Amino acid sequence: MLDSSHIARGRVLDGRWLSLGAALIAATLAAWHLDLFATLAQLVDLDLGLLARFFAAAISPALSYEGAVPAGTPPLLFKALEAARQTLIFALTGLSLALVIGVPLGIACTRSFWNLAQRSNSARHRLRRGAWFCARTVAALLRSVHELLFAILFLAALGMSELAAVIAIALPYGGILAKVFAELLDEAPDGPSHALAASGAGRTTNFFATRLPAALPNLCAYAFYRFECALRSAAVLGFFGLPTLGFFLAQAFENLHLRELWTYLYTLLLLVWLIEMWSGAIRRRLVA
Amino acid sequence: MSTVHDFEILSRLRRERSRSKFLRASLAAVAALIALAWILAACEWRSFDFASRTSKVMRFAQELVPYALRERAFSWSEYGAWIADRWQTSAAAATVNTLAIAFTAIVIAALFGAFASTAATRSLMTAEPYLPAAHPTSRWLRWGWSAVANLTRLLLLFLRAIPEYVFAFLAVAMLGPLAWALILALALHNVGILGRLGAEMFEDQPRSTPRALRAAGASRAHIAAAVLLPTSFTRFWLFFFYRFETCIREATVLGMVGVVSLGYGIANARARLFYDEMIFLIACSALLVLCGDLASTWMRERLRAASRESLR
């Protein structure tokens, strides 16, 4: 029947207004707990000189060192490019390890690989359910610790080591990849897999022949997005001593060489932009 | 004979499938880059000396036991009491602060991100949104409007590309050791992400309704408020909760720049070599992230179910 029942009613207690209101109230409570409104006054009388110099330096990033440097140091732009190269190396090694962890774990986290859809109470089915639950728990635990916290842990336990930093990136990224890959694999179209199951194929053959190839474009697209995130994490690890962009950012700021700081910031921006353009081009061709 | 026929059909289908030279070249390039990265790593990194590392790990494992319990035999009840004491004195407040920082930051980011998305929507920020103009528009007007969209996109790209930690480091150094510094850092980065996602969502929307509104004389702000924002409400909530999960994760480490959240306690404990407290706080942050993950997944499931329900 053609009437107006399908039109969303804009009453005040509509679900949308309710959720918006709830979010704003919760945020106000959180802000009050943190004493944000009181410290807002403190923000007003801050060091405006430094802030102004910081933004002014954005317009004229340094092309050569500010301040004296020992003889024989490579030019500033070379140093920035070298830092970018190190960031790329750490991101690539970290992400490749994360894929090695994340792909098998992701497959183990899907419902379709273990064929949990069939309702049965046999011992084998319960075993499979247990295996799936273990995989999901491992992925959740890996995901819950930030890569910087893993890095701090390894720093304290093993001392400074590049391999430890790469493993620190790889572990949580592996967990995140596992979770998203499992969702993408489960959401792949299941017509082909039903057809193959009807003609008698085994569970594993079915999975690798139908679901995995169907979901592969989405998996690749997400892996590229993770690579962008790995670049940022690798840059931040520089704050803890690795020779990536973060190290030079911290150094430049602590010496108050603000124009040099912006050179490194622009290098990071350029790196992320290039990878994002490439990743976008790939995603358009893959997912279209 | 029918199997031969099937094989011919399959071979022909396989030959005719769409191939992209760009994709193949890209995947080959990625494989080559990864191999190159590992080779360079093997040449440049310090060698991993297993002997000295194992002894370090042993010593570290010993220091994980709280100082007060170290001399005596280990008992779980005492450890539990130590944990309860630590939780009450510092960890509980730090955990609540971390959650508060994450939530405030994501709400601020959502509000500003919604504004930024409308300013970055190319279909809206043109001289003739959705309908050709009645009079010919000047070249400068068209250039001006597209400049608005492109400049906003550039700004969002910058906010996205710089990690939250860098923003937090700079903010704490320039604004002082306030919670506002961490919130601004988180919010700025997430405005970049939410703004870009929102702009893509607005551009993908069907043009029929905005066109009808434009024909009735609506301005760009009217179209944004009446059509673009309400129809993408559910998807915006989905992005919101996805980013909320990430914000909790980041908020736990942002404290390491010197204020408020769990990260501050962790950095403090590491500096004073109190590894027992450090491990406890790391476990607290993991628990917080797990809870946030569960809450976010539950909300997103409900949102997806609601949107599927409304489509029927």
Side-chain angles (χ1 to χ4, degrees), chain B residues 242-290:
Chain B
Y242 155 61
R243 288 315 300 179
F244 174 53
E245 210 181 300
T246 315
C247 272
I248 292 191
R249 241 175 134 248
E250 293 296 329
T252 52
V253 293
L254 280 190
M256 292 204 278
V257 296
V259 259
V260 190
S261 79
L262 275 170
Y264 177 57
I266 294 175
N268 222 358
R270 178 177 80 113
R272 297 184 305 182
L273 299 181
F274 291 169
Y275 292 142
D276 46 2
E277 199 167 317
M278 186 181 88
I279 264 271
F280 171 60
L281 288 172
I282 291 183
C284 280
S285 78
L287 205 62
L288 182 63
V289 172
L290 274 174

Coordinates of all heavy atoms in Angstrom, one line a residue, chain B residues 242-290:
Chain B
Y242 N 34.5 2.3 13.9 CA 35.8 1.7 13.5 C 37.0 2.6 14.0 O 38.0 2.1 14.5 CB 35.8 1.5 12.0 CG 37.1 1.5 11.3 CD1 38.0 0.5 11.6 CD2 37.4 2.5 10.4 CE1 39.3 0.5 11.0 CE2 38.6 2.5 9.7 CZ 39.6 1.5 10.1 OH 40.8 1.5 9.5
R243 N 36.8 3.9 13.8 CA 37.9 4.8 14.2 C 37.9 4.9 15.7 O 39.0 5.1 16.3 CB 37.7 6.2 13.7 CG 37.9 6.3 12.2 CD 39.2 5.7 11.7 NE 40.4 6.2 12.3 CZ 41.6 5.7 12.1 NH1 41.7 4.7 11.2 NH2 42.7 6.2 12.7
F244 N 36.8 4.7 16.5 CA 36.8 4.7 17.9 C 37.7 3.6 18.4 O 38.5 3.8 19.3 CB 35.4 4.5 18.4 CG 35.3 4.4 19.9 CD1 35.9 5.3 20.8 CD2 34.6 3.3 20.5 CE1 35.8 5.2 22.1 CE2 34.5 3.2 21.8 CZ 35.1 4.1 22.7
E245 N 37.6 2.4 17.8 CA 38.5 1.3 18.2 C 39.9 1.7 18.0 O 40.7 1.4 18.9 CB 38.1 0.1 17.2 CG 38.3 -1.2 17.6 CD 37.9 -2.2 16.5 OE1 36.7 -2.1 16.0 OE2 38.8 -2.9 16.1
T246 N 40.2 2.3 16.9 CA 41.6 2.7 16.6 C 42.1 3.7 17.6 O 43.2 3.8 18.1 CB 41.8 3.1 15.2 OG1 41.2 2.2 14.3 CG2 43.3 3.2 14.8
C247 N 41.2 4.7 17.9 CA 41.5 5.8 18.8 C 41.9 5.2 20.2 O 42.8 5.8 20.8 CB 40.4 6.7 19.0 SG 40.4 8.0 17.7
I248 N 41.2 4.2 20.7 CA 41.5 3.6 22.0 C 42.9 3.1 21.9 O 43.7 3.3 22.8 CB 40.5 2.6 22.4 CG1 39.2 3.1 22.7 CG2 41.0 1.8 23.6 CD1 38.2 2.2 23.3
R249 N 43.2 2.4 20.9 CA 44.5 1.8 20.7 C 45.6 2.9 20.7 O 46.6 2.7 21.4 CB 44.6 1.1 19.4 CG 44.9 -0.4 19.5 CD 44.8 -1.0 18.2 NE 46.0 -1.9 18.1 CZ 47.0 -1.7 17.2 NH1 47.0 -0.7 16.4 NH2 48.0 -2.5 17.2
E250 N 45.4 3.9 20.0 CA 46.4 5.0 19.9 C 46.5 5.7 21.2 O 47.6 6.1 21.7 CB 46.1 6.0 18.8 CG 46.2 5.4 17.4 CD 47.6 5.0 17.1 OE1 48.5 5.6 17.6 OE2 47.7 4.0 16.3
A251 N 45.3 6.0 21.9 CA 45.3 6.8 23.1 C 46.2 6.1 24.2 O 46.8 6.7 25.1 CB 43.9 7.0 23.6
T252 N 46.2 4.7 24.2 CA 47.0 4.1 25.2 C 48.5 4.4 25.0 O 49.2 4.5 26.0 CB 46.9 2.5 25.1 OG1 47.1 2.1 23.8 CG2 45.5 2.1 25.5
V253 N 49.0 4.6 23.8 CA 50.4 4.9 23.7 C 50.7 6.4 23.6 O 51.9 6.8 23.9 CB 51.0 4.2 22.4 CG1 51.0 2.8 22.5 CG2 50.3 4.7 21.2
L254 N 49.7 7.2 23.3 CA 50.1 8.6 23.2 C 50.6 9.2 24.5 O 51.3 10.2 24.5 CB 48.8 9.4 22.7 CG 48.5 9.4 21.2 CD1 47.5 10.3 20.9 CD2 49.8 9.6 20.4
G255 N 50.1 8.6 25.6 CA 50.6 9.1 26.9 C 52.1 9.1 27.0 O 52.7 9.8 27.9
M256 N 52.8 8.3 26.1 CA 54.2 8.2 26.3 C 54.9 9.5 26.0 O 56.1 9.7 26.3 CB 54.8 7.1 25.4 CG 54.3 5.8 25.8 SD 55.4 4.4 25.3 CE 54.8 4.2 23.7
V257 N 54.2 10.5 25.4 CA 54.9 11.8 25.2 C 54.9 12.6 26.5 O 55.6 13.6 26.5 CB 54.2 12.6 24.1 CG1 54.3 11.9 22.8 CG2 52.8 12.9 24.4
G258 N 54.2 12.1 27.5 CA 54.5 12.8 28.8 C 53.3 13.2 29.6 O 53.4 13.7 30.7
V259 N 52.0 12.8 29.2 CA 50.9 13.2 30.0 C 49.9 12.0 30.1 O 49.8 11.2 29.3 CB 50.1 14.3 29.4 CG1 50.4 15.6 30.1 CG2 50.2 14.4 27.9
V260 N 49.1 12.1 31.1 CA 47.8 11.6 31.3 C 47.6 10.1 31.2 O 47.4 9.4 32.1 CB 46.7 12.3 30.5 CG1 45.3 11.8 31.0 CG2 46.8 13.8 30.7
S261 N 47.7 9.5 29.9 CA 47.1 8.2 29.7 C 48.0 7.1 30.2 O 49.0 7.3 30.8 CB 46.7 8.0 28.3 OG 47.8 7.7 27.5
L262 N 47.6 5.9 29.8 CA 48.3 4.7 30.3 C 49.7 4.7 29.8 O 50.7 4.2 30.5 CB 47.6 3.4 29.8 CG 46.5 2.9 30.6 CD1 45.8 1.8 29.9 CD2 47.0 2.3 31.9
G263 N 50.0 5.3 28.6 CA 51.3 5.3 28.1 C 52.3 6.0 29.0 O 53.5 5.7 29.0
Y264 N 51.8 7.0 29.7 CA 52.6 7.8 30.6 C 53.1 6.9 31.7 O 54.3 6.9 32.0 CB 51.9 9.0 31.1 CG 52.7 9.8 32.1 CD1 53.9 10.3 31.8 CD2 52.2 10.0 33.4 CE1 54.6 11.1 32.7 CE2 52.9 10.7 34.3 CZ 54.1 11.3 34.0 OH 54.8 12.0 34.8
G265 N 52.2 6.1 32.3 CA 52.6 5.2 33.3 C 53.6 4.2 32.8 O 54.6 3.8 33.5
I266 N 53.4 3.7 31.6 CA 54.3 2.7 31.0 C 55.7 3.3 30.8 O 56.7 2.6 31.1 CB 53.7 2.1 29.7 CG1 52.4 1.4 29.9 CG2 54.7 1.3 29.0 CD1 51.7 0.9 28.7
A267 N 55.8 4.5 30.2 CA 57.1 5.1 29.9 C 57.8 5.4 31.2 O 59.0 5.1 31.4 CB 56.9 6.4 29.1
N268 N 57.0 5.8 32.2 CA 57.6 6.1 33.6 C 58.2 4.8 34.2 O 59.3 4.8 34.7 CB 56.4 6.6 34.5 CG 56.8 7.7 35.3 OD1 58.0 8.1 35.3 ND2 55.9 8.2 36.1
A269 N 57.4 3.7 34.1 CA 57.8 2.5 34.7 C 59.1 2.0 34.0 O 60.0 1.5 34.6 CB 56.7 1.4 34.6
R270 N 59.1 2.2 32.7 CA 60.3 1.7 31.9 C 61.5 2.5 32.3 O 62.6 2.0 32.5 CB 60.1 1.8 30.4 CG 61.3 1.3 29.7 CD 61.0 1.3 28.2 NE 61.1 2.7 27.6 CZ 62.0 3.1 26.8 NH1 62.9 2.3 26.4 NH2 62.0 4.3 26.3
A271 N 61.3 3.8 32.4 CA 62.4 4.7 32.8 C 63.0 4.4 34.1 O 64.2 4.4 34.3 CB 62.0 6.2 32.7
R272 N 62.1 4.0 35.1 CA 62.6 3.6 36.4 C 62.9 2.2 36.5 O 63.2 1.7 37.6 CB 61.6 4.0 37.5 CG 61.3 5.5 37.5 CD 60.4 5.9 38.5 NE 59.1 5.2 38.4 CZ 58.1 5.4 39.3 NH1 58.2 6.3 40.2 NH2 57.0 4.7 39.1
L273 N 62.9 1.4 35.4 CA 63.2 0.0 35.3 C 62.3 -0.8 36.2 O 62.7 -1.9 36.7 CB 64.7 -0.2 35.7 CG 65.7 0.4 34.8 CD1 67.1 0.1 35.3 CD2 65.5 0.0 33.4
F274 N 61.0 -0.4 36.4 CA 60.0 -1.2 37.2 C 59.3 -2.0 36.2 O 58.2 -1.7 35.8 CB 59.1 -0.3 37.9 CG 59.6 0.5 39.1 CD1 58.9 1.5 39.7 CD2 60.9 0.2 39.5 CE1 59.5 2.2 40.7 CE2 61.5 0.8 40.6 CZ 60.7 1.9 41.2
Y275 N 59.9 -3.1 35.7 CA 59.3 -3.9 34.7 C 58.1 -4.6 35.1 O 57.2 -4.9 34.3 CB 60.3 -4.9 34.1 CG 61.5 -4.3 33.4 CD1 62.8 -4.8 33.5 CD2 61.3 -3.1 32.6 CE1 63.8 -4.2 32.8 CE2 62.3 -2.5 31.9 CZ 63.6 -3.1 32.1 OH 64.6 -2.5 31.4
D276 N 57.9 -4.9 36.4 CA 56.7 -5.5 36.9 C 55.5 -4.6 36.6 O 54.4 -5.0 36.1 CB 56.8 -5.9 38.3 CG 57.4 -4.8 39.2 OD1 57.6 -3.7 38.6 OD2 57.6 -4.9 40.4
E277 N 55.7 -3.3 37.0 CA 54.6 -2.4 36.8 C 54.3 -2.2 35.3 O 53.2 -2.0 34.9 CB 55.0 -1.1 37.5 CG 53.8 -0.2 37.7 CD 54.2 1.0 38.7 OE1 54.9 0.7 39.6 OE2 53.8 2.1 38.4
M278 N 55.4 -2.1 34.5 CA 55.3 -1.9 33.1 C 54.4 -3.0 32.5 O 53.5 -2.7 31.7 CB 56.7 -1.9 32.5 CG 56.7 -1.5 31.0 SD 58.3 -1.5 30.3 CE 58.4 -3.2 29.8
I279 N 54.7 -4.2 32.8 CA 54.0 -5.3 32.2 C 52.5 -5.3 32.7 O 51.6 -5.5 31.8 CB 54.6 -6.7 32.6 CG1 55.5 -7.2 31.5 CG2 53.6 -7.7 32.9 CD1 54.9 -8.0 30.5
F280 N 52.3 -4.9 33.9 CA 50.9 -4.8 34.4 C 50.1 -3.8 33.6 O 49.0 -4.0 33.2 CB 50.9 -4.5 35.9 CG 49.5 -4.2 36.4 CD1 48.5 -5.1 36.3 CD2 49.3 -3.0 37.0 CE1 47.3 -4.8 36.8 CE2 48.0 -2.7 37.5 CZ 47.0 -3.6 37.4
L281 N 50.8 -2.6 33.4 CA 50.1 -1.5 32.7 C 49.8 -1.9 31.2 O 48.8 -1.5 30.6 CB 50.9 -0.2 32.8 CG 50.8 0.4 34.1 CD1 51.7 1.6 34.2 CD2 49.4 0.9 34.5
I282 N 50.8 -2.6 30.6 CA 50.6 -3.1 29.2 C 49.4 -4.0 29.2 O 48.6 -4.0 28.2 CB 51.9 -3.7 28.7 CG1 53.0 -2.7 28.5 CG2 51.6 -4.4 27.4 CD1 54.3 -3.2 27.9
A283 N 49.3 -4.9 30.2 CA 48.2 -5.8 30.2 C 46.9 -5.0 30.4 O 45.9 -5.3 29.7 CB 48.3 -6.8 31.3
C284 N 46.9 -3.9 31.2 CA 45.7 -3.1 31.3 C 45.3 -2.5 30.0 O 44.1 -2.5 29.6 CB 45.9 -1.9 32.3 SG 45.8 -2.4 34.0
S285 N 46.3 -2.0 29.2 CA 46.0 -1.4 28.0 C 45.4 -2.4 27.0 O 44.5 -2.1 26.2 CB 47.2 -0.7 27.4 OG 48.1 -1.6 26.8
A286 N 46.0 -3.6 27.0 CA 45.5 -4.7 26.1 C 44.0 -5.0 26.5 O 43.2 -5.2 25.6 CB 46.3 -6.0 26.3
L287 N 43.7 -5.0 27.8 CA 42.3 -5.3 28.2 C 41.4 -4.2 27.7 O 40.3 -4.5 27.2 CB 42.3 -5.4 29.7 CG 41.1 -6.2 30.3 CD1 41.3 -7.6 29.9 CD2 41.2 -6.1 31.8
L288 N 41.8 -2.9 27.8 CA 41.0 -1.8 27.4 C 40.7 -1.9 25.9 O 39.6 -1.7 25.4 CB 41.7 -0.5 27.7 CG 41.0 0.8 27.4 CD1 39.7 0.9 28.1 CD2 41.8 2.0 27.6
V289 N 41.8 -2.2 25.1 CA 41.6 -2.3 23.7 C 40.7 -3.5 23.3 O 39.8 -3.3 22.4 CB 43.0 -2.5 23.0 CG1 42.8 -2.8 21.5 CG2 43.8 -1.3 23.2
L290 N 40.8 -4.6 24.1 CA 39.9 -5.7 23.8 C 38.4 -5.3 24.1 O 37.5 -5.6 23.3 CB 40.3 -6.9 24.7 CG 41.3 -7.8 24.2 CD1 41.7 -8.8 25.2 CD2 40.8 -8.5 22.9

